[in-house]
Amino acid sequence: MAPQTSVIHDIGYQRYKGPRLGRWYANRSLFEHSLRSAFGLGRGAKAKIFPWLVIGIVLLFAVIAIAVRSITGDTFMTYRQYAGNLSYPVMLFLAIVAPELVSRDLRDRTLPLYFSRPLARTDYALAKYAALVAAVLLLLGVPQLLIYLGAVFTRTDGFPGAWDELGDLGPGLATALIRALVLASVSLLIASLSGRRAFAAAFIVGTFLITSPIVGILSVLGNETLKALAFLVNPMTLMLGLEQWLFGPPVAGEGLPLGGYGPVYGAGALVLLGGSVGLLLLRYRKVAA
């Protein structure tokens, strides 16, 4: 038998002796990275085109609202109407950003790299969800703040007017937060089912658009109960019903024909939110790493 000649060579690698930042730092870093990715920051020009196109649209609405109010003195749209009128741009933004946050990792099979760190599977899902919620909230909230500043500077009643305007802004920001929480959960769940961003984006848009004709059909039927509950079918109209139940119609004398079914819209929103987040967490517990 030949003598054993194996040796261990020291090629200069050293153990890391610095601080271990741990799970919280990993979660924060993933959230920050995902939020930057939502707006294409830190990436090439191609990644910025579609998110910033949507941002340009929502900011244009805000500029028009400010201009109309400064010229005529009339309110072009309430803060709550602003969020409701931008349903389609928000839908496009979700269809662009949600697949960017999760589908790419599925396609490139980078999840094992994430899960080999102190980051748990639920941490990954919740960090991505929090980033998408923050992105949608910024998309809807920042233009409302601009409209508020424009309104304050055009009012002539000083501090009382600014305070009254703030009372109108509060429900507007609250509806933006509600929309961000619910719509982000639905979109991210759908995007997590496919590693192909184009397919994921199409599925998200389809979910919002396919149910719209159903709402229209149910709302024109003679049955008053069906007419009042028809808006539960579509996530966007569900948000309108929930907001109307919480804050009243956006304009006096207008609104959805909810009848006495407002609490049903509150329960529907909670079920949709809880179910989507729960299924998202279950998805990442089961996904192959």
Side-chain angles (χ1 to χ4, degrees):
M1 181 180 295
Q4 191 67 262
T5 59
S6 299
V7 294
I8 298 176
H9 294 279
D10 182 2
I11 57 176
Y13 290 119
Q14 297 183 11
R15 293 181 60 83
Y16 175 73
K17 297 181 180 179
R20 302 285 179 176
L21 299 176
R23 184 176 175 182
W24 166 250
Y25 185 82
N27 275 276
R28 193 187 76 180
S29 298
L30 181 59
F31 168 78
E32 292 174 354
H33 171 73
S34 300
L35 184 57
R36 287 172 56 84
S37 297
F39 296 104
L41 301 179
R43 304 190 58 213
K46 184 179 178 181
K48 296 179 176 68
I49 294 174
F50 291 109
W52 285 93
L53 177 63
V54 176
I55 292 169
I57 292 172
V58 300
L59 289 177
L60 178 61
F61 268 79
V63 171
I64 292 174
I66 294 170
V68 170
R69 184 155 185 174
S70 64
I71 295 171
T72 66
D74 296 328
T75 301
F76 177 65
M77 66 178 79
T78 65
Y79 296 100
R80 286 178 52 207
Q81 282 180 311
Y82 178 84
N85 291 339
L86 292 175
S87 294
Y88 286 107
V90 170
M91 176 191 68
L92 291 176
F93 185 78
L94 289 167
I96 295 164
V97 174
E100 180 66 30
L101 294 185
V102 295
S103 298
R104 179 186 293 273
D105 291 336
L106 289 170
R107 185 198 65 189
D108 296 340
R109 301 183 184 276
T110 56
L111 289 177
L113 298 177
Y114 287 108
F115 300 151
S116 66
R117 301 295 186 268
L119 202 68
R121 289 170 176 261
T122 54
D123 293 339
Y124 174 89
L126 291 175
K128 294 289 184 177
Y129 172 59
L132 187 55
V133 169
V136 176
L137 185 57
L138 289 172
L139 182 73
L140 291 175
V142 170
Q144 289 190 55
L145 292 174
L146 293 177
I147 295 173
Y148 170 76
L149 292 175
V152 167
F153 284 112
T154 56
R155 294 186 69 134
T156 58
D157 47 0
F159 179 77
W163 183 257
D164 291 341
E165 197 72 32
L166 189 61
D168 295 334
L169 174 64
L173 293 179
T175 58
L177 177 60
I178 292 170
R179 286 172 177 268
L181 289 169
V182 176
L183 300 179
S185 68
V186 175
S187 302
L188 202 66
L189 173 62
I190 296 171
S192 70
L193 301 177
S194 175
R196 297 188 177 184
R197 285 180 293 169
F199 287 171
F203 292 153
I204 292 170
V205 171
T207 299
F208 291 115
L209 291 185
I210 290 175
T211 52
S212 294
I214 301 175
V215 173
I217 292 171
L218 294 177
S219 63
V220 298
L221 295 178
N223 189 295
E224 293 299 322
T225 301
L226 278 179
K227 187 180 296 185
L229 298 177
F231 305 97
L232 289 167
V233 177
N234 183 280
M236 292 294 185
T237 55
L238 170 61
M239 292 297 95
L240 292 175
L242 173 63
E243 293 158 11
Q244 182 171 318
W245 174 58
L246 291 175
F247 305 109
V251 177
E254 300 181 8
L256 303 178
L258 301 185
Y261 293 99
V264 178
Y265 282 82
L270 287 176
V271 170
L272 182 60
L273 174 61
S276 297
V277 174
L279 289 174
L280 180 67
L281 297 176
L282 182 63
R283 162 64 174 158
Y284 279 98
R285 287 196 186 109
K286 301 291 186 181
V287 70

